Amino acid sequence: MTRRTLSRAQIVSAAIELLDEEGLDGLSMRRLGQRLGSAATSVYWHVQSKENLIALASDQIWGEISVLDPDEVGWREAAVELARSMYGLGVAHHWLIPAIPSCLTYGIGMARYQDHSYAIFEAAGFTGVDLDWAVNTLFTFVIGAAYQDSAQAMLLRSQKDSEEVQRRMQEAMANADQIVAQFPRLKARAAEQAQLPRAARTESLEFGLGVVLDGMSVRLKRGVARLS
């Protein structure tokens, strides 16, 4: 395949597939070129650097976040949809959240997400610095939930990896179990959590999301009470 037959869109799409399979450390121009049937130099010509490629891939995923108009469905429903969508993409693309501090991933997709977040919480009644904090609170909560659950999803996928990878995982888990065993409450909760179905991760998200939005509603009501 020659350089002319490649497009930036093809490269970004292939990069997302490779990132989903191998993570940030598994992405290289050489491996991506092999996947595309092209030389690494051709990939560089289109995207300039690995860091820029990760930024392009991240921005494409951020652009897929589902949004609802808060004026049509209400601010809370719009916030829930935004949070669920971001969480789902963060878990499905386990490299997305770790990529945020690793390179300059800010682009149109993330800006669209942020702008919509401001629209949601403006519709709720937040203004000024409180508006900034409301947007950041939802973002921080969902990022934390997605990061933890995407890591668990990666562990499940890695069970299909080499025997060496599985051995290291088993050693790490055994070491964690020894530490947890020293703390009775933690040990009891870990034992019960181990029996929970995978769907419980989503239930955990819904619980936390409800608490966050309930707290925001209370904050808004207190603000109105102070003004009346």
Side-chain angles (χ1 to χ4, degrees):
M1 183 179 290
T2 64
R3 187 174 70 187
R4 292 188 185 89
T5 63
L6 284 178
S7 69
R8 175 175 285 191
Q10 288 175 312
I11 293 171
V12 172
S13 179
I16 290 172
E17 292 178 359
L18 185 56
L19 285 163
D20 287 348
E21 294 171 11
E22 305 291 343
L24 292 171
D25 292 338
L27 177 66
S28 71
M29 296 303 193
R30 180 183 61 81
R31 296 184 69 182
L32 187 57
Q34 290 174 345
R35 177 166 295 218
L36 291 165
S38 180
T41 52
S42 296
V43 178
Y44 272 113
W45 188 85
H46 284 279
V47 298
Q48 290 77 56
S49 68
K50 176 180 175 179
E51 290 73 21
N52 191 50
L53 178 57
I54 294 173
L56 292 169
S58 298
D59 198 54
Q60 179 164 313
I61 301 303
W62 279 99
E64 295 175 4
I65 289 179
S66 175
V67 298
L68 295 176
D69 186 345
D71 292 333
E72 294 182 359
V73 302
W75 75 270
R76 184 162 180 140
E77 185 174 342
V80 168
E81 176 66 18
L82 188 70
R84 287 174 178 168
S85 181
M86 181 169 64
Y87 168 84
L89 289 171
V91 173
H93 304 283
H94 57 84
W95 52 273
L96 184 66
I97 306 306
I100 293 175
S102 68
C103 61
L104 300 176
T105 58
Y106 193 80
I108 294 295
M110 186 176 286
R112 169 180 174 267
Y113 161 83
Q114 290 178 326
D115 188 72
H116 190 68
S117 295
Y118 277 112
I120 288 172
F121 291 111
E122 278 183 352
F126 288 102
T127 59
V129 176
D130 281 0
L131 175 60
D132 296 328
W133 289 343
V135 168
N136 186 64
T137 296
L138 184 67
F139 177 81
T140 302
F141 166 73
V142 179
I143 287 293
Y147 184 83
Q148 178 179 350
D149 292 345
S150 65
Q152 292 177 354
M154 277 191 66
L155 286 176
L156 291 173
R157 282 194 292 269
S158 66
Q159 291 175 0
K160 300 178 182 179
D161 289 342
S162 67
E163 292 182 1
E164 175 62 19
V165 171
Q166 292 188 44
R167 183 188 65 79
R168 292 201 303 267
M169 283 180 52
Q170 290 170 355
E171 289 179 353
M173 293 173 66
N175 181 61
D177 288 341
Q178 291 177 358
I179 295 173
V180 168
Q182 301 175 51
F183 301 90
R185 294 181 184 82
L186 183 58
K187 179 181 178 181
R189 293 309 309 144
E192 185 170 338
Q193 289 169 9
Q195 305 303 316
L196 294 175
R198 292 182 63 188
R201 291 205 303 266
T202 303
E203 294 173 5
S204 174
L205 173 76
E206 296 298 322
F207 174 85
L209 187 56
V211 170
V212 168
L213 297 180
D214 285 348
M216 290 187 181
S217 296
V218 171
R219 175 92 178 188
L220 286 167
K221 290 177 181 177
R222 287 178 177 172
V224 171
R226 285 197 302 268
L227 295 174
S228 60

